[in-house]
């Protein structure tokens, strides 16, 4: 819901907001420039002296004004000619022209009304309203993305466009909130939607009727310092009933031009003070530094507009074109799609075309437009749902669960639910499971049990398709080619070979990072940035399915490094083991945020075997903060397949890694990494008590053994590996 | 170009001296190219003693700016009932404001004076831009304003 509140105002108002923000940013320069160039006033100078100096120079002076910047302007009428100038208060003589700056006036009119008068003011105000909605909804989205309000400034992951959007937002949000609220206030005041704050006091009925009091003999002008002065209007020449009008930051009063007595005084109301503060906060007039800060923050709007548009377009363009979509009321099969990045739409399109080929009438729609009342001819309904984050609805499924729960009666057509996800994430297909539970609670009949597709597996999808076809009474063969991120060619820089002597050939492969253009990085199309623990997908020749390897380096290291072991008959590992420096592979990055050491000072307990050392070595290499790290590493033989032996010795010397405990299965005596843990049980349990985070990487057998050892080690303290996993203190990357 | 029918003008005090005999009068105000935003312009009449008699037109719709038309504001204390139904848009620099009103004959050659106050955002306030006696002989004669008004005339 919040995302909808963010997306639509953003898309609809983007161009308008860019115009308003850029003109606002430019306008913020004027008060600052004025403050810098304004002539100085001597401390404590009374208005009487200032007015006298000006009158000496310009006898026909009619009005003197002081701007919040301190700039003093005089207006006079001499020999039938009007004149005006910015005045140097020290001399009362002209210092600069008082004509309004044409550029500033142009920008102001653009900013507040787009040169369209009152209509434009309303459009501008709608822009300010949209900005307010965007900042408020954006705040919730930032908090959601970073994992809570207290983690507002935590570093971000993901494609550059989305990252840039949030990076800019979390700084600019404060300024945009202030500018939008004060802008709305000012528009409301202009259209008289706010109460009128105490206007000038009533004109005095009785005046002395005499004229000619000396300015210096007027007590009110003597007592008012120039710094709190705003405006002095002189009586109209020849009109004995007229008066001096004095405005200060405390109020407005009338002064008799014969006696110099203050006839009427009216102080500023609290409301007027609030209004003036709002005006100051919005324009920067009287607070030019704040104005500049707000101006800089406003510059974030075009950046957020552009990146926001890219984020939206990337999700949108990822959706394939559907041909021959049948109206909801006519279709026999309804396909409802819950997709975040767009890949689930690809599966839906494959399913739709296969059903169509089998003679079915199919209606495909996003889950968010779920409308069972319209499915008059539906014989079956299939929900294809991905998951966003830790079990939230993906973008195209917003509101589905609420609609389903609000139904009086479940639809009669039976339901099939297919979840899409990645089994290595804890919330695998969590949203699809919620849909299934909600449907069950509603009493919706099921066509078939819920099923899942792991990491866009075409095999999983084809298997489900056969069951679905059987249930629907059609022969369904689903041949889906998943959309993979565009692979980039990576060149091998160097390789180090291990393990030949122990019949377990392995290698550390170091690739050059390809240069990606800014546009490619913004749109998430090029080779993305990565950290140790992220995955490098490699598409072997002769296959479309990528294999994934844990990265042993980050972008900051300047190279992409993986540890590979040759699998008998393995297509990808075989090609990699034969790759020579200068050769290249097709590759892309897939993020693996759950397998990052994270920030914090708690010790890291790294456990791995074989090529599982790769990401662990990467964590140690990037441990510039010298966080305590303990490594338990299993290999076959110290002289053959001890990957990263030289680096570990060096990292140990410079403190990137503390203790390194080796376990060699072909040593004397043979020992496995899980045994090494048990041997060091006291130390391991001490580290866990200190809050250590455990990260395991390697084969499934090793991971199971490690888990058993940890179960034994933790038993005395009443903890289990499952409890640590629930606290996110025990993570695995196994294969 | 503004035109106003008798019905509206009748609502002002200025037609009271003799409703029976009134005539259409066209007031033409041309502004100088003063290089600022649209001007707020108030046209009003004072009697032979100099006392405020009534308003003819207010160009400018936002009442929070009326205090910058200081003579008019002083005379009316900003009372918006004075300009009810005779308010229009502000007048841009170099533009002409033309209003036709039915004015009572009794207003002419009886010491009444027509006044114009003007004000522009971020520029000087200019009360009493124009002050011309309303006389039959004065019809069609142009008067220059002090700051913003290039010329003003009234024609029968």
């Amino acid at each position: 819901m919040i995302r909808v509140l963010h997306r639509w105002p953003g898309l609809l108002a983007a161009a308008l907001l860019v115009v308003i923000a850029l003109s606002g940013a430019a306008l913020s320069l004027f008060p600052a420039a004025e403050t810098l160039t304004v002539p100085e006033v001597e401390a404590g100078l009374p208005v009487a002296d200032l007015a006298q100096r000006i009158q000496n120079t310009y006898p026909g002076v009619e009005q003197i004004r002081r701007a919040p910047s301190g700039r003093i302007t005089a207006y006079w009428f001499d020999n039938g000619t009007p004149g005006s100038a910015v005045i140097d208060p020290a001399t009362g003589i002209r210092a600069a022209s008082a004509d309004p700056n044409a550029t500033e006036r142009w920008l102001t009119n653009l900013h507040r009304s787009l040169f369209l008068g009152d209509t434009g003011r309303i459009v501008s105000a709608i822009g300010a309203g949209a900005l307010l909605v965007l900042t408020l909804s954006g705040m919730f989205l930032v908090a959601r993305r970073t994992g809570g309000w207290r983690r507002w400034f935590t570093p971000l992951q993901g494609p550059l466009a989305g990252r840039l959007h949030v990076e800019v937002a979390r700084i600019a949000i404060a300024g945009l909130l202030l500018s939008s609220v004060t802008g709305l206030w000012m528009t409301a005041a202009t259209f008289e939607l706010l109460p009128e704050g105490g206007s000038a006091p009533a004109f005095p009925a009785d005046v002395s009727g005499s004229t000619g009091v000396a300015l210096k003999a007027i007590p009110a002008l003597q007592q008012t310092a120039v710094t709190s002065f705003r405006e002095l209007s002189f009586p109209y020449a020849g009109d004995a009933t007229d008066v001096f009008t004095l405005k200060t930051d405390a109020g407005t009063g009338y002064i008799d031009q014969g006696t110099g007595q203050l006839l009427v005084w009216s102080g500023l109301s609290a409301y007027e003070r609030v209004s003036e503060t709002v005006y100051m906060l919005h324009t920067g007039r009287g607070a030019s530094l704040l104005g500049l800060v707000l101006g800089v923050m406003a510059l974030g709007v075009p950046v957020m507009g552009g990146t926001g548009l890219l984020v939206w377009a990337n999700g949108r363009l990822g959706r394939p074109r559907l041909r021959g979509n049948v109206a909801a009321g006519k279709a026999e099969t309804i396909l409802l799609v819950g997709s975040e990045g767009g890949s689930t739409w690809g599966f839906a399109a494959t399913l739709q075309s296969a059903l169509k080929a089998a003679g079915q009438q199919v209606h495909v729609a996003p889950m968010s437009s779920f409308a069972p009342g319209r499915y008059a001819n539906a014989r079956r309904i299939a929900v294809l749902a991905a998951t966003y984050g830790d079990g939230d609805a993906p973008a195209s499924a917003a509101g589905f669960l609420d609609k389903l729960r609000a139904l009086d009666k479940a639809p009669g057509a039976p339901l099939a639910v297919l979840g899409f996800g990645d089994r290595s994430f804890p919330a695998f297909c969590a949203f699809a499971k919620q849909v299934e539970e909600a449907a069950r609670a509603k009493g919706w009949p099921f066509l078939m049990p819920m099923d899942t597709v792991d990491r866009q597996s075409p095999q999983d999808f084809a298997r489900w398709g056969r069951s679905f076809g059987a249930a629907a009474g059609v022969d369904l063969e689903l041949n889906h080619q998943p959309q993979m991120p565009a692979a980039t060619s990576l060149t091998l820089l160097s390789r180090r070979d291990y393990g030949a002597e122990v019949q377990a050939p392995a290698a550390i492969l170091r690739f050059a990072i390809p240069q990606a253009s800014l546009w490619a990085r913004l749109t998430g199309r090029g080779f993305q940035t990565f950290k140790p623990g992220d995955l490098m997908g490699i598409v072997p020749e002769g296959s479309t399915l990528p294999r994934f390897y844990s990265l042993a380096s980050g972008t900051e290291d300047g190279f992409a490094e993986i540890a590979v072991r040759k699998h008998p008959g393995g297509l990808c590992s075989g090609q990699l083991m034969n790759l020579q420096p200068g050769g290249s592979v097709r590759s892309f990055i897939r993020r693996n945020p759950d397998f990052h050491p994270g920030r914090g000072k708690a010790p890291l307990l790294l456990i791995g075997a074989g090529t599982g050392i790769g990401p662990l070595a990467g964590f140690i290499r990037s441990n510039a903060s010298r966080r305590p790290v303990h490594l338990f590493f299993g290999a076959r033989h110290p002289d053959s397949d001890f990957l990263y032996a030289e680096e570990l010795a060096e990292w140990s010397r410079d403190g990137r890694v503390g203790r390194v405990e080796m376990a060699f299965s072909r040593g004397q005596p043979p020992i496995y990494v899980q045994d090494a843990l048990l041997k060091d049980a006291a130390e391991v349990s001490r580290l866990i008590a200190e809050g250590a985070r455990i990260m395991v990487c390697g084969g499934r057998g090793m991971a199971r053994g490690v888990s058993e050892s940890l179960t034994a080690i933790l038993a005395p303290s009443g903890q289990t590996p499952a409890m640590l996993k629930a606290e996110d203190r025990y993570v695995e990357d196994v294969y | 170009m503004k035109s106003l029918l008798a019905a509206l003008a009748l609502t002002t005090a200025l037609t009271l001296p003799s409703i029976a005999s009134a005539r259409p009068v066209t007031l033409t105000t041309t502004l100088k190219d003063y290089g600022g935003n649209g001007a707020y312009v108030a046209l009003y009449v004072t009697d032979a003693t100099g006392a405020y008699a009534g308003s003819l037109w207010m160009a400018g719709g936002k009442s929070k700016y009326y205090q910058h038309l200081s003579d008019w504001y002083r005379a009316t204390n900003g009372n918006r009932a004075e300009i009810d139904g005779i308010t229009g848009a502000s007048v841009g620099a170099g533009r002409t404001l033309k209003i036709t009103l039915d004015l009572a004959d009794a207003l002419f050659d009886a010491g009444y004076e027509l006044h114009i106050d003007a004000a522009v955002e971020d520029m000087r306030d200019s009360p009493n831009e124009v002050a011309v006696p309303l006389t039959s002989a004065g019809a069609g004669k142009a008067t220059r304003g002090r700051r913003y008004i290039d010329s003003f005339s009234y024609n029968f």
Side-chain angles (χ1 to χ4, degrees), chain A residues 706-727:
Chain A
V706 166
S707 178
E708 283 163 8
S709 294
L710 286 173
T711 306
I713 293 168
L714 286 167
S717 67
Q719 287 180 294
T720 63
M723 288 161 72
L724 292 181
K725 277 185 181 167
E727 291 173 31

Side-chain angles (χ1 to χ4, degrees), chain A residues 10 12-26 110-111 114 127 131 134 298-307 309:
Chain A
L12 293 174
L16 172 65
L17 288 179
V18 167
V19 171
I20 295 177
L22 288 180
S23 54
L110 173 63
H111 184 73
L114 311 165
L131 188 59
L134 284 167
L299 289 178
V301 168
V303 178
M304 286 188 282
T307 51
L309 215 58

